[in-house]
Amino acid sequence: MPQVLPSLLSADFARLADELARCAAAGATAVHLDVMDAHFVPNLTLGPPVISCIRKATKLKLDVHLMMSDPMRYAEDFRKAGSDLITIHVEAVGQRRMEAAIAGLRALGCQVGLAFNPDTDPRLWFKWFDQVDLVMFMTVYPGFGGQAFIPEVRDYVRATRARFPKLPIQVDGGINRETIPTIVADGADRLICGNAFFHDPDPAAFLRWAEGVGR
Ligand code: DX5
Ligand code: ZN
C-alpha cells in the first residue's frame, strides 16, 4: 500500500502549525521537508531552526530532504532539530564519500535515504541500497514545487523495484492524481505530494484515494 507524505514546501509558511495539523487530520503519519541551500539547487528554503519549531508543533514523523552540496556538514544539526529520516543526494556526496556518509547518518540514530536526480542512473549506486532505509527518485529537477513529472524516471523505479523487492521507494515531484497510478504500478510506495495535497479542495479524500491505489 502506498503512503502519502505531504511536502510542506506547498504549505502556507506563515501558518505552519495549522498546516501540520491539517496533514495529521487528513491521515498523514509523516511530512516531507525540503531543505535547499541555493547551491545544490537554485532555491533557498529552511534550515534547522525552523525544523526545531516544526518538531515542537507536531508528532508527525519528519522526512527531511537535504538538497545541499555538503549535507554531512550539517547532518547533525538536522538530526538535533528533530529529523526522523534524513535523505541526502548521491550527486552531492559521490561514491568515494558514500560509506562515511551512511555511517555518519547511522551514528546520529536517524533513518537514512538516498536521493537521485532525474538524470542519475541508480544502477551505479545499487551497491549501497542494502545499507539504507529508502531510496528517493526525483521525478522533477529538484528546486521547486509544482513542476511536471518526468516520465523517463519510471525506468529507474522499475529497475530498482525488480532488483530490490522490499526496499521502500519514494518519488518526489509532480506526484498527483494523474501520475500516481502509473508510478505505483512501477513500484513506488512512498509518495511525496506538495501541490497535489495542499491545493486539493479535500486533502483527506486525496490521501485516502492515493493510499488505496493498488500495484
Ligand atoms: C522539489 C521538492 C519537492 C516538492 C514537490 O524539489 O523536492 O518535495 O515539494 O512538489 P510538487 O508535489 O508540487 O511537485
Ligand atoms: Zn523533496
Side-chain angles (χ1 to χ4, degrees), residues 5-10 32-36 41 43 65 67 89 136 138-149 171-176 192-197 199:
L5 288 83
S7 171
L8 233 56
L9 193 59
S10 300
H32 180 82
L33 304 177
D34 287 302
V35 176
M36 306 187 189
V41 287
N43 197 3
H65 176 193
M67 286 161 274
H89 269 266
M136 179 165 84
M138 295 308 301
T139 35
V140 299
Y141 283 92
F144 302 92
Q147 303 183 78
F149 178 86
V171 281
D172 186 9
I175 302 300
N176 54 38
I192 306 304
C193 298
N195 281 281
F197 178 88
H199 298 160

mmCIF file of all heavy atoms in Angstrom, residues 5-10 32-36 41 43 65 67 89 136 138-149 171-176 192-197 199, ligand 1:
data_model
loop_
_atom_site.group_PDB
_atom_site.id
_atom_site.type_symbol
_atom_site.label_atom_id
_atom_site.label_comp_id
_atom_site.label_asym_id
_atom_site.label_seq_id
_atom_site.Cartn_x
_atom_site.Cartn_y
_atom_site.Cartn_z
ATOM 1 N N LEU A 5 3.212 11.335 1.785
ATOM 2 C CA LEU A 5 3.852 12.298 2.683
ATOM 3 C C LEU A 5 3.660 13.695 2.093
ATOM 4 O O LEU A 5 4.236 14.002 1.041
ATOM 5 C CB LEU A 5 5.350 12.016 2.834
ATOM 6 C CG LEU A 5 5.753 10.789 3.642
ATOM 7 C CD1 LEU A 5 5.693 9.526 2.792
ATOM 8 C CD2 LEU A 5 7.159 10.974 4.194
ATOM 9 N N PRO A 6 2.842 14.537 2.736
ATOM 10 C CA PRO A 6 2.687 15.895 2.232
ATOM 11 C C PRO A 6 4.034 16.636 2.274
ATOM 12 O O PRO A 6 4.768 16.517 3.251
ATOM 13 C CB PRO A 6 1.689 16.525 3.207
ATOM 14 C CG PRO A 6 0.952 15.372 3.818
ATOM 15 C CD PRO A 6 1.969 14.268 3.898
ATOM 16 N N SER A 7 4.331 17.368 1.208
ATOM 17 C CA SER A 7 5.554 18.169 1.174
ATOM 18 C C SER A 7 5.221 19.587 1.601
ATOM 19 O O SER A 7 4.479 20.300 0.920
ATOM 20 C CB SER A 7 6.149 18.184 -0.230
ATOM 21 O OG SER A 7 7.195 19.132 -0.269
ATOM 22 N N LEU A 8 5.795 19.979 2.716
ATOM 23 C CA LEU A 8 5.456 21.266 3.320
ATOM 24 C C LEU A 8 5.837 22.476 2.459
ATOM 25 O O LEU A 8 5.401 23.592 2.727
ATOM 26 C CB LEU A 8 6.123 21.377 4.699
ATOM 27 C CG LEU A 8 5.181 21.720 5.859
ATOM 28 C CD1 LEU A 8 4.035 20.743 5.983
ATOM 29 C CD2 LEU A 8 5.936 21.823 7.163
ATOM 30 N N LEU A 9 6.635 22.234 1.421
ATOM 31 C CA LEU A 9 7.017 23.325 0.522
ATOM 32 C C LEU A 9 5.783 24.023 -0.065
ATOM 33 O O LEU A 9 5.835 25.211 -0.381
ATOM 34 C CB LEU A 9 7.888 22.753 -0.607
ATOM 35 C CG LEU A 9 8.654 23.725 -1.482
ATOM 36 C CD1 LEU A 9 9.606 24.575 -0.656
ATOM 37 C CD2 LEU A 9 9.439 22.972 -2.555
ATOM 38 N N SER A 10 4.689 23.296 -0.197
ATOM 39 C CA SER A 10 3.461 23.887 -0.766
ATOM 40 C C SER A 10 2.532 24.437 0.309
ATOM 41 O O SER A 10 1.426 24.885 -0.008
ATOM 42 C CB SER A 10 2.699 22.840 -1.588
ATOM 43 O OG SER A 10 3.501 22.360 -2.634
ATOM 44 N N HIS A 32 7.110 15.743 4.631
ATOM 45 C CA HIS A 32 8.377 15.867 3.904
ATOM 46 C C HIS A 32 8.819 17.326 3.956
ATOM 47 O O HIS A 32 8.045 18.234 3.648
ATOM 48 C CB HIS A 32 8.101 15.421 2.464
ATOM 49 C CG HIS A 32 9.262 15.471 1.538
ATOM 50 N ND1 HIS A 32 10.212 14.466 1.472
ATOM 51 C CD2 HIS A 32 9.614 16.378 0.596
ATOM 52 C CE1 HIS A 32 11.096 14.757 0.528
ATOM 53 N NE2 HIS A 32 10.769 15.911 -0.008
ATOM 54 N N LEU A 33 10.070 17.539 4.368
ATOM 55 C CA LEU A 33 10.598 18.899 4.499
ATOM 56 C C LEU A 33 11.749 19.090 3.522
ATOM 57 O O LEU A 33 12.734 18.348 3.556
ATOM 58 C CB LEU A 33 11.092 19.129 5.933
ATOM 59 C CG LEU A 33 10.055 18.882 7.037
ATOM 60 C CD1 LEU A 33 10.694 19.063 8.409
ATOM 61 C CD2 LEU A 33 8.876 19.821 6.878
ATOM 62 N N ASP A 34 11.633 20.099 2.677
ATOM 63 C CA ASP A 34 12.621 20.342 1.625
ATOM 64 C C ASP A 34 13.624 21.393 2.051
ATOM 65 O O ASP A 34 13.279 22.564 2.215
ATOM 66 C CB ASP A 34 11.906 20.791 0.347
ATOM 67 C CG ASP A 34 11.189 19.639 -0.314
ATOM 68 O OD1 ASP A 34 11.864 18.647 -0.641
ATOM 69 O OD2 ASP A 34 9.957 19.714 -0.497
ATOM 70 N N VAL A 35 14.867 20.955 2.198
ATOM 71 C CA VAL A 35 15.941 21.871 2.588
ATOM 72 C C VAL A 35 16.784 22.178 1.352
ATOM 73 O O VAL A 35 17.381 21.275 0.755
ATOM 74 C CB VAL A 35 16.818 21.235 3.679
ATOM 75 C CG1 VAL A 35 17.998 22.146 4.016
ATOM 76 C CG2 VAL A 35 15.979 20.944 4.924
ATOM 77 N N MET A 36 16.801 23.441 0.959
ATOM 78 C CA MET A 36 17.540 23.848 -0.247
ATOM 79 C C MET A 36 18.571 24.895 0.125
ATOM 80 O O MET A 36 18.260 25.835 0.865
ATOM 81 C CB MET A 36 16.576 24.406 -1.282
ATOM 82 C CG MET A 36 15.436 23.460 -1.620
ATOM 83 S SD MET A 36 14.449 24.088 -2.984
ATOM 84 C CE MET A 36 13.075 22.917 -2.950
ATOM 85 N N VAL A 41 20.843 23.387 -5.455
ATOM 86 C CA VAL A 41 19.661 23.736 -6.261
ATOM 87 C C VAL A 41 19.493 25.257 -6.242
ATOM 88 O O VAL A 41 19.943 25.909 -5.302
ATOM 89 C CB VAL A 41 18.368 23.084 -5.694
ATOM 90 C CG1 VAL A 41 18.319 21.600 -5.955
ATOM 91 C CG2 VAL A 41 18.202 23.366 -4.207
ATOM 92 N N ASN A 43 17.493 27.459 -5.267
ATOM 93 C CA ASN A 43 16.427 27.965 -4.408
ATOM 94 C C ASN A 43 16.890 27.813 -2.966
ATOM 95 O O ASN A 43 17.817 27.040 -2.679
ATOM 96 C CB ASN A 43 15.131 27.182 -4.654
ATOM 97 C CG ASN A 43 13.894 27.894 -4.129
ATOM 98 O OD1 ASN A 43 13.956 29.004 -3.617
ATOM 99 N ND2 ASN A 43 12.752 27.221 -4.249
ATOM 100 N N HIS A 65 14.569 16.163 3.405
ATOM 101 C CA HIS A 65 15.220 16.007 2.097
ATOM 102 C C HIS A 65 16.257 17.107 1.940
ATOM 103 O O HIS A 65 15.908 18.267 1.742
ATOM 104 C CB HIS A 65 14.118 16.110 1.016
ATOM 105 C CG HIS A 65 14.607 16.072 -0.386
ATOM 106 N ND1 HIS A 65 13.796 16.416 -1.459
ATOM 107 C CD2 HIS A 65 15.797 15.707 -0.915
ATOM 108 C CE1 HIS A 65 14.481 16.275 -2.582
ATOM 109 N NE2 HIS A 65 15.695 15.864 -2.288
ATOM 110 N N MET A 67 18.657 18.994 -0.024
ATOM 111 C CA MET A 67 19.175 19.370 -1.349
ATOM 112 C C MET A 67 20.313 20.347 -1.097
ATOM 113 O O MET A 67 20.163 21.567 -1.202
ATOM 114 C CB MET A 67 18.043 19.992 -2.187
ATOM 115 C CG MET A 67 17.053 18.957 -2.682
ATOM 116 S SD MET A 67 15.462 19.651 -3.179
ATOM 117 C CE MET A 67 14.644 19.663 -1.593
ATOM 118 N N HIS A 89 21.539 13.566 -1.276
ATOM 119 C CA HIS A 89 21.653 13.307 -2.712
ATOM 120 C C HIS A 89 22.970 12.621 -3.041
ATOM 121 O O HIS A 89 24.033 13.073 -2.606
ATOM 122 C CB HIS A 89 21.548 14.624 -3.493
ATOM 123 C CG HIS A 89 20.141 14.947 -3.886
ATOM 124 N ND1 HIS A 89 19.618 14.598 -5.104
ATOM 125 C CD2 HIS A 89 19.140 15.530 -3.187
ATOM 126 C CE1 HIS A 89 18.338 14.980 -5.154
ATOM 127 N NE2 HIS A 89 18.033 15.552 -4.004
ATOM 128 N N MET A 136 15.043 7.529 -2.960
ATOM 129 C CA MET A 136 14.054 8.502 -3.447
ATOM 130 C C MET A 136 14.429 8.983 -4.838
ATOM 131 O O MET A 136 15.528 9.512 -5.042
ATOM 132 C CB MET A 136 13.964 9.695 -2.498
ATOM 133 C CG MET A 136 12.964 10.728 -3.002
ATOM 134 S SD MET A 136 12.513 11.902 -1.746
ATOM 135 C CE MET A 136 13.847 13.076 -1.895
ATOM 136 N N MET A 138 13.844 11.567 -7.777
ATOM 137 C CA MET A 138 13.268 12.865 -8.125
ATOM 138 C C MET A 138 12.629 12.716 -9.497
ATOM 139 O O MET A 138 13.314 12.369 -10.471
ATOM 140 C CB MET A 138 14.357 13.941 -8.169
ATOM 141 C CG MET A 138 15.026 14.240 -6.827
ATOM 142 S SD MET A 138 13.876 14.589 -5.490
ATOM 143 C CE MET A 138 12.990 16.022 -6.144
ATOM 144 N N THR A 139 11.342 12.999 -9.539
ATOM 145 C CA THR A 139 10.623 12.921 -10.805
ATOM 146 C C THR A 139 10.447 14.315 -11.419
ATOM 147 O O THR A 139 9.682 14.496 -12.364
ATOM 148 C CB THR A 139 9.279 12.177 -10.604
ATOM 149 O OG1 THR A 139 8.750 12.496 -9.300
ATOM 150 C CG2 THR A 139 9.495 10.674 -10.616
ATOM 151 N N VAL A 140 11.187 15.272 -10.840
ATOM 152 C CA VAL A 140 11.411 16.596 -11.451
ATOM 153 C C VAL A 140 12.855 16.960 -11.093
ATOM 154 O O VAL A 140 13.443 16.339 -10.206
ATOM 155 C CB VAL A 140 10.469 17.691 -10.870
ATOM 156 C CG1 VAL A 140 9.004 17.347 -11.117
ATOM 157 C CG2 VAL A 140 10.722 17.927 -9.381
ATOM 158 N N TYR A 141 13.408 17.985 -11.749
ATOM 159 C CA TYR A 141 14.697 18.506 -11.282
ATOM 160 C C TYR A 141 14.428 19.268 -9.988
ATOM 161 O O TYR A 141 13.540 20.130 -9.955
ATOM 162 C CB TYR A 141 15.362 19.382 -12.352
ATOM 163 C CG TYR A 141 15.969 18.508 -13.425
ATOM 164 C CD1 TYR A 141 15.246 18.159 -14.558
ATOM 165 C CD2 TYR A 141 17.230 17.953 -13.232
ATOM 166 C CE1 TYR A 141 15.775 17.298 -15.505
ATOM 167 C CE2 TYR A 141 17.775 17.091 -14.170
ATOM 168 C CZ TYR A 141 17.046 16.762 -15.296
ATOM 169 O OH TYR A 141 17.570 15.900 -16.203
ATOM 170 N N PRO A 142 15.147 18.918 -8.909
ATOM 171 C CA PRO A 142 14.801 19.491 -7.613
ATOM 172 C C PRO A 142 14.993 21.004 -7.582
ATOM 173 O O PRO A 142 15.823 21.548 -8.310
ATOM 174 C CB PRO A 142 15.762 18.792 -6.648
ATOM 175 C CG PRO A 142 16.872 18.267 -7.481
ATOM 176 C CD PRO A 142 16.286 17.995 -8.836
ATOM 177 N N GLY A 143 14.225 21.653 -6.733
ATOM 178 C CA GLY A 143 14.360 23.094 -6.545
ATOM 179 C C GLY A 143 13.033 23.806 -6.334
ATOM 180 O O GLY A 143 12.966 24.782 -5.611
ATOM 181 N N PHE A 144 11.987 23.279 -6.977
ATOM 182 C CA PHE A 144 10.701 23.986 -6.903
ATOM 183 C C PHE A 144 9.542 22.999 -6.900
ATOM 184 O O PHE A 144 9.634 21.941 -7.517
ATOM 185 C CB PHE A 144 10.550 24.937 -8.108
ATOM 186 C CG PHE A 144 11.656 25.947 -8.188
ATOM 187 C CD1 PHE A 144 12.802 25.683 -8.932
ATOM 188 C CD2 PHE A 144 11.581 27.141 -7.471
ATOM 189 C CE1 PHE A 144 13.849 26.593 -8.974
ATOM 190 C CE2 PHE A 144 12.624 28.049 -7.512
ATOM 191 C CZ PHE A 144 13.762 27.785 -8.267
ATOM 192 N N GLY A 145 8.478 23.403 -6.216
ATOM 193 C CA GLY A 145 7.247 22.623 -6.280
ATOM 194 C C GLY A 145 6.506 22.943 -7.570
ATOM 195 O O GLY A 145 6.861 23.875 -8.304
ATOM 196 N N GLY A 146 5.503 22.144 -7.870
ATOM 197 C CA GLY A 146 4.617 22.456 -8.982
ATOM 198 C C GLY A 146 5.173 22.209 -10.375
ATOM 199 O O GLY A 146 4.648 22.748 -11.354
ATOM 200 N N GLN A 147 6.221 21.401 -10.512
ATOM 201 C CA GLN A 147 6.769 21.117 -11.847
ATOM 202 C C GLN A 147 6.140 19.836 -12.413
ATOM 203 O O GLN A 147 5.543 19.044 -11.703
ATOM 204 C CB GLN A 147 8.280 20.915 -11.762
ATOM 205 C CG GLN A 147 9.054 22.083 -11.165
ATOM 206 C CD GLN A 147 10.555 21.803 -11.198
ATOM 207 O OE1 GLN A 147 11.195 21.933 -12.227
ATOM 208 N NE2 GLN A 147 11.105 21.399 -10.061
ATOM 209 N N ALA A 148 6.358 19.640 -13.720
ATOM 210 C CA ALA A 148 5.764 18.474 -14.389
ATOM 211 C C ALA A 148 6.635 17.231 -14.217
ATOM 212 O O ALA A 148 7.865 17.277 -14.358
ATOM 213 C CB ALA A 148 5.566 18.765 -15.869
ATOM 214 N N PHE A 149 5.991 16.131 -13.902
ATOM 215 C CA PHE A 149 6.572 14.794 -13.763
ATOM 216 C C PHE A 149 7.382 14.418 -15.010
ATOM 217 O O PHE A 149 6.924 14.607 -16.138
ATOM 218 C CB PHE A 149 5.383 13.839 -13.589
ATOM 219 C CG PHE A 149 5.699 12.393 -13.472
ATOM 220 C CD1 PHE A 149 6.009 11.832 -12.241
ATOM 221 C CD2 PHE A 149 5.631 11.562 -14.586
ATOM 222 C CE1 PHE A 149 6.254 10.471 -12.124
ATOM 223 C CE2 PHE A 149 5.886 10.197 -14.478
ATOM 224 C CZ PHE A 149 6.196 9.654 -13.238
ATOM 225 N N VAL A 171 9.031 8.683 -4.298
ATOM 226 C CA VAL A 171 9.120 9.515 -5.503
ATOM 227 C C VAL A 171 8.699 10.931 -5.150
ATOM 228 O O VAL A 171 7.804 11.138 -4.331
ATOM 229 C CB VAL A 171 8.259 8.961 -6.668
ATOM 230 C CG1 VAL A 171 8.965 7.796 -7.348
ATOM 231 C CG2 VAL A 171 6.861 8.557 -6.219
ATOM 232 N N ASP A 172 9.351 11.913 -5.771
ATOM 233 C CA ASP A 172 9.195 13.314 -5.364
ATOM 234 C C ASP A 172 9.209 14.215 -6.596
ATOM 235 O O ASP A 172 10.217 14.285 -7.304
ATOM 236 C CB ASP A 172 10.353 13.668 -4.408
ATOM 237 C CG ASP A 172 10.221 15.055 -3.812
ATOM 238 O OD1 ASP A 172 9.173 15.700 -3.983
ATOM 239 O OD2 ASP A 172 11.195 15.494 -3.158
ATOM 240 N N GLY A 173 8.077 14.894 -6.815
ATOM 241 C CA GLY A 173 7.990 15.877 -7.900
ATOM 242 C C GLY A 173 6.898 15.527 -8.906
ATOM 243 O O GLY A 173 6.975 14.503 -9.571
ATOM 244 N N GLY A 174 5.879 16.367 -8.962
ATOM 245 C CA GLY A 174 4.791 16.138 -9.917
ATOM 246 C C GLY A 174 3.991 14.878 -9.628
ATOM 247 O O GLY A 174 3.438 14.263 -10.542
ATOM 248 N N ILE A 175 3.933 14.496 -8.355
ATOM 249 C CA ILE A 175 3.172 13.298 -7.959
ATOM 250 C C ILE A 175 1.746 13.748 -7.631
ATOM 251 O O ILE A 175 1.531 14.509 -6.669
ATOM 252 C CB ILE A 175 3.851 12.603 -6.753
ATOM 253 C CG1 ILE A 175 5.300 12.217 -7.092
ATOM 254 C CG2 ILE A 175 3.058 11.382 -6.319
ATOM 255 C CD1 ILE A 175 5.465 11.260 -8.263
ATOM 256 N N ASN A 176 0.795 13.298 -8.435
ATOM 257 C CA ASN A 176 -0.591 13.779 -8.301
ATOM 258 C C ASN A 176 -1.568 12.716 -8.811
ATOM 259 O O ASN A 176 -1.156 11.600 -9.129
ATOM 260 C CB ASN A 176 -0.751 15.100 -9.078
ATOM 261 C CG ASN A 176 -0.306 14.951 -10.523
ATOM 262 O OD1 ASN A 176 -0.539 13.918 -11.157
ATOM 263 N ND2 ASN A 176 0.354 15.975 -11.055
ATOM 264 N N ILE A 192 5.610 11.577 -2.310
ATOM 265 C CA ILE A 192 5.727 12.944 -1.804
ATOM 266 C C ILE A 192 4.782 13.833 -2.617
ATOM 267 O O ILE A 192 4.895 13.888 -3.841
ATOM 268 C CB ILE A 192 7.184 13.456 -1.949
ATOM 269 C CG1 ILE A 192 8.189 12.498 -1.304
ATOM 270 C CG2 ILE A 192 7.300 14.865 -1.379
ATOM 271 C CD1 ILE A 192 7.933 12.189 0.149
ATOM 272 N N CYS A 193 3.872 14.489 -1.932
ATOM 273 C CA CYS A 193 2.867 15.295 -2.640
ATOM 274 C C CYS A 193 2.832 16.701 -2.067
ATOM 275 O O CYS A 193 2.434 16.888 -0.909
ATOM 276 C CB CYS A 193 1.490 14.659 -2.518
ATOM 277 S SG CYS A 193 1.384 13.008 -3.250
ATOM 278 N N GLY A 194 3.270 17.675 -2.862
ATOM 279 C CA GLY A 194 3.206 19.074 -2.456
ATOM 280 C C GLY A 194 1.892 19.681 -2.898
ATOM 281 O O GLY A 194 0.899 19.688 -2.169
ATOM 282 N N ASN A 195 1.875 20.158 -4.133
ATOM 283 C CA ASN A 195 0.667 20.798 -4.657
ATOM 284 C C ASN A 195 -0.544 19.883 -4.647
ATOM 285 O O ASN A 195 -1.652 20.322 -4.358
ATOM 286 C CB ASN A 195 0.921 21.296 -6.081
ATOM 287 C CG ASN A 195 1.689 22.598 -6.053
ATOM 288 O OD1 ASN A 195 1.111 23.644 -5.813
ATOM 289 N ND2 ASN A 195 2.994 22.527 -6.232
ATOM 290 N N ALA A 196 -0.337 18.600 -4.986
ATOM 291 C CA ALA A 196 -1.479 17.683 -5.096
ATOM 292 C C ALA A 196 -2.200 17.548 -3.754
ATOM 293 O O ALA A 196 -3.403 17.358 -3.712
ATOM 294 C CB ALA A 196 -1.026 16.314 -5.595
ATOM 295 N N PHE A 197 -1.467 17.651 -2.657
ATOM 296 C CA PHE A 197 -2.100 17.551 -1.335
ATOM 297 C C PHE A 197 -2.621 18.914 -0.877
ATOM 298 O O PHE A 197 -3.804 19.073 -0.577
ATOM 299 C CB PHE A 197 -1.097 16.999 -0.313
ATOM 300 C CG PHE A 197 -1.660 16.901 1.082
ATOM 301 C CD1 PHE A 197 -2.337 15.766 1.487
ATOM 302 C CD2 PHE A 197 -1.521 17.951 1.986
ATOM 303 C CE1 PHE A 197 -2.887 15.678 2.773
ATOM 304 C CE2 PHE A 197 -2.058 17.872 3.263
ATOM 305 C CZ PHE A 197 -2.740 16.730 3.655
ATOM 306 N N HIS A 199 -3.131 21.782 -2.328
ATOM 307 C CA HIS A 199 -4.058 22.553 -3.157
ATOM 308 C C HIS A 199 -5.292 21.752 -3.556
ATOM 309 O O HIS A 199 -6.073 22.190 -4.387
ATOM 310 C CB HIS A 199 -3.334 23.118 -4.380
ATOM 311 C CG HIS A 199 -2.236 24.072 -3.995
ATOM 312 N ND1 HIS A 199 -1.200 24.415 -4.829
ATOM 313 C CD2 HIS A 199 -1.999 24.740 -2.827
ATOM 314 C CE1 HIS A 199 -0.384 25.251 -4.198
ATOM 315 N NE2 HIS A 199 -0.849 25.464 -2.978
HETATM 316 C C1 DX5 B 1 11.119 19.720 -5.229
HETATM 317 C C2 DX5 B 1 10.875 19.170 -3.840
HETATM 318 C C3 DX5 B 1 9.547 18.545 -3.698
HETATM 319 C C4 DX5 B 1 8.366 19.457 -3.956
HETATM 320 C C5 DX5 B 1 7.330 18.654 -4.687
HETATM 321 O O1 DX5 B 1 12.456 19.991 -5.402
HETATM 322 O O2 DX5 B 1 11.865 18.210 -3.508
HETATM 323 O O3 DX5 B 1 9.408 17.871 -2.441
HETATM 324 O O4 DX5 B 1 7.795 19.993 -2.798
HETATM 325 O O5 DX5 B 1 6.274 19.484 -5.048
HETATM 326 P P1 DX5 B 1 5.109 19.001 -6.020
HETATM 327 O O6 DX5 B 1 4.472 17.800 -5.395
HETATM 328 O O7 DX5 B 1 4.202 20.176 -6.085
HETATM 329 O O8 DX5 B 1 5.731 18.672 -7.348
#
